[in-house]
Amino acid sequence: MAAKELVEILLQVSEKSAKIARAWRCQEELFELMVEEKAEKEKNERFVRDFKTLADVLVQEVVKHDVSLKFPELRDHILGEESNIFKNSFGQEIRIEVREDSESTSRHLTTVLCGNEIAARLLAELIHTDIVLETEEIKVMEEQLDFELPLNELGIWIDPIDSTSEYLKNSPGKEVDGIVVSGLPCATVLIGVFHLETGVPVAGVINQPFSTLIQENTTSRRWNGRRLWGVNHAGHACYSLGNKRKSNKASTDTQISSTFKVTISGSESENVKETLMSSGIRLFPSSGAGNKLLHVIDDNVDFYVLSSAFSFKWDTCAAHAILCSMGGGVVGYKEALLLKSTTKEIDKISFDKCELKYNKPDDGIAKKWSNSSGLIAFKSHQRVFELLECFGS
């Protein structure tokens, strides 16, 4: 199967997911599902108590449905964070599904949403919308993705809405030195493809539904999204980064800084932070694994460092594939430090053995499907070797 066909359907379902995410924020009937109390402090009876689960499951099932429809052989190898069993506000456990047409899906979602027919219809219409990619986007894929992928050997990881907490807050985004650290731009749709036998990442699509806020007039504004992809397989490495988000901070740098920038989790250990800062490294605590990985892809930072098992396969697979297509990668934090401490001189071949894998859990350590040894995401092998020197022997 041509690589273009797979990437195209993944971009389409990611955009459908992004449209659902934007609609949920912007359309009143859907927005009410996210708000427990109305402005006048009256209890909102339409509030969905576990909105995060509902949003994640719905988007996840949309991706599964559309990809399986196009490629039935992938149906049993599409994995995600959530079960598709959802308990609604009436306490009913319902298996969320995408039905054969908009009307059937609307009836099904009406039950999920405890009788809210308007919201169910709006969602069903979005779910069954045909997505047409931009002409230039198609042209880039036709030029670069003229090779085959072994569809029967591939699996998919989905993170439907990464950084849901920032998505719920509805903040336009906070920047520190031009780097987005919180707010709606941190929310991403992540779809990663991996090889079932080897576990290596093969392709990735990231959709940033809230990439750029457009102020249309004094009272109206809307969000534009961004789509990017990368493929790395059998000697083929290609990618497209879409329209990068413009920073509010104008750059005055005339050359590449010699000081590393590292994005980290807000809960990163004090020991790791002190080690990095003592080497003159600038730290940027940020929300969302997808957002942090996107900062590495976009060269906003040099690395994403996470020393603990607080990320999962669905968080990293998509960006990992894109980074590999750009000559970088994502390695286990503990494995990389162990290699550094036991090897006189690290080379790319030995370092690549530390790359994260996606086909099986990490030896039952920590939570299932977590990246149990942490991670370091990077674009340059030379620079990541320099980073490891900061950790001593």
Side-chain angles (χ1 to χ4, degrees):
M1 179 211 63
K4 174 186 172 293
E5 295 178 45
L6 180 59
V7 173
E8 184 173 7
I9 187 64
L10 296 183
L11 285 169
Q12 288 171 331
V13 294
S14 81
E15 185 57 27
K16 185 177 291 189
S17 302
K19 283 180 177 291
I20 293 171
R22 285 191 291 266
W24 226 314
R25 288 249 52 114
C26 302
Q27 296 191 31
E28 183 178 357
E29 284 295 326
L30 297 179
F31 182 73
E32 285 186 358
L33 297 175
M34 302 169 64
V35 183
E36 186 168 10
E37 295 183 353
K38 294 183 179 179
E40 61 272 22
K41 303 300 181 183
E42 293 177 0
K43 197 70 173 179
N44 182 357
E45 294 179 357
R46 295 178 180 175
F47 175 66
V48 177
R49 295 189 180 279
D50 193 356
F51 170 80
K52 178 187 184 302
T53 302
L54 175 60
D56 278 352
V57 174
L58 185 60
V59 170
Q60 182 173 286
E61 293 309 304
V62 168
V63 175
K64 285 183 178 180
H65 173 269
D66 287 15
V67 173
S68 298
L69 204 61
K70 178 78 172 179
F71 303 116
E73 55 268 60
L74 284 173
R75 186 185 308 275
D76 295 331
H77 303 295
I78 302 176
L79 311 172
E81 177 180 4
E82 302 288 349
S83 160
N84 65 344
I85 304 297
F86 178 76
K87 181 180 287 188
N88 68 10
S89 298
F90 290 165
Q92 299 170 306
E93 287 194 349
I94 302 170
R95 184 183 300 275
I96 294 181
E97 298 173 333
V98 175
R99 302 292 173 86
E100 62 273 13
D101 54 40
S102 179
E103 185 177 342
S104 301
T105 299
S106 178
R107 287 196 299 269
H108 172 60
L109 291 178
T110 298
T111 303
V112 174
L113 299 174
C114 303
N116 189 333
E117 295 182 2
I118 297 176
R121 186 177 68 251
L122 289 171
L123 286 171
E125 289 172 356
L126 287 167
I127 288 168
H128 290 276
T129 297
D130 291 330
I131 301 296
V132 179
L133 301 178
E134 296 175 4
T135 302
E136 184 61 30
E137 207 168 11
I138 297 292
K139 182 180 177 182
V140 170
M141 286 190 289
E142 288 175 343
E143 291 173 350
Q144 296 196 51
L145 298 173
D146 59 344
F147 54 90
E148 299 293 308
L149 288 177
L151 198 63
N152 292 327
E153 300 174 15
L154 303 179
I156 293 177
W157 275 113
I158 308 166
D159 191 346
I161 303 178
D162 186 59
S163 196
T164 318
S165 60
E166 296 300 322
Y167 175 62
L168 292 173
K169 290 176 184 176
N170 199 28
S171 163
K174 176 185 176 183
E175 291 188 7
V176 176
D177 287 347
I179 296 173
V180 176
V181 297
S182 64
L184 278 172
C186 295
T188 50
V189 177
L190 309 171
I191 307 175
V193 181
F194 65 96
H195 194 273
L196 290 169
E197 183 177 347
T198 65
V200 301
V202 172
V205 165
I206 298 177
N207 195 307
Q208 191 180 18
F210 306 95
S211 175
T212 307
L213 184 60
I214 307 298
Q215 194 75 41
E216 296 185 315
N217 51 54
T218 55
T219 59
S220 176
R221 64 182 188 177
R222 62 180 174 84
W223 284 97
N224 277 355
R226 174 191 177 196
R227 298 184 291 268
L228 55 155
W229 58 265
V231 179
N232 185 58
H233 176 71
H236 299 281
C238 47
Y239 59 89
S240 174
L241 302 185
N243 298 315
K244 289 178 64 173
R245 186 179 193 273
K246 292 183 179 179
S247 166
N248 291 329
K249 179 178 181 292
S251 175
T252 57
D253 296 337
T254 57
Q255 58 184 6
I256 297 174
S257 171
S258 60
T259 302
F260 288 149
K261 294 180 179 179
V262 175
T263 184
I264 59 172
S265 167
S267 59
E268 184 55 77
S269 76
E270 291 300 320
N271 181 52
V272 170
K273 289 191 286 187
E274 289 172 6
T275 298
L276 293 171
M277 288 189 294
S278 67
S279 298
I281 292 173
R282 298 188 62 195
L283 302 182
F284 295 86
S286 306
S287 297
N291 175 56
K292 289 190 275 285
L293 288 159
L294 194 52
H295 283 318
V296 180
I297 291 169
D298 285 340
D299 286 321
N300 296 329
V301 299
D302 299 285
F303 311 104
Y304 166 26
V305 173
L306 179 65
S307 65
S308 54
F310 290 158
S311 73
F312 293 83
K313 304 301 181 186
W314 51 79
D315 291 320
T316 55
C317 187
H320 190 170
I322 296 173
L323 285 167
C324 286
S325 75
M326 304 174 80
V330 183
V331 295
Y333 171 86
K334 292 183 176 65
E335 280 94 335
L337 264 60
L338 178 62
L339 179 66
K340 193 263 177 190
S341 67
T342 57
T343 306
K344 185 175 181 180
E345 187 172 345
I346 302 176
D347 58 34
K348 184 178 182 299
I349 294 175
S350 59
F351 193 67
D352 285 350
K353 294 178 182 178
C354 300
E355 294 270 351
L356 301 185
K357 300 294 190 295
Y358 295 92
N359 57 335
K360 57 185 178 181
D362 293 353
D363 301 324
I365 305 170
K367 292 183 178 179
K368 188 176 182 181
W369 297 116
S370 69
N371 297 311
S372 60
S373 66
L375 64 88
I376 302 174
F378 63 96
K379 282 178 70 175
S380 163
H381 282 82
Q382 179 182 345
R383 288 171 75 80
V384 77
F385 295 161
E386 293 174 18
L387 174 74
L388 292 177
E389 292 300 321
C390 300
F391 291 93
S393 57

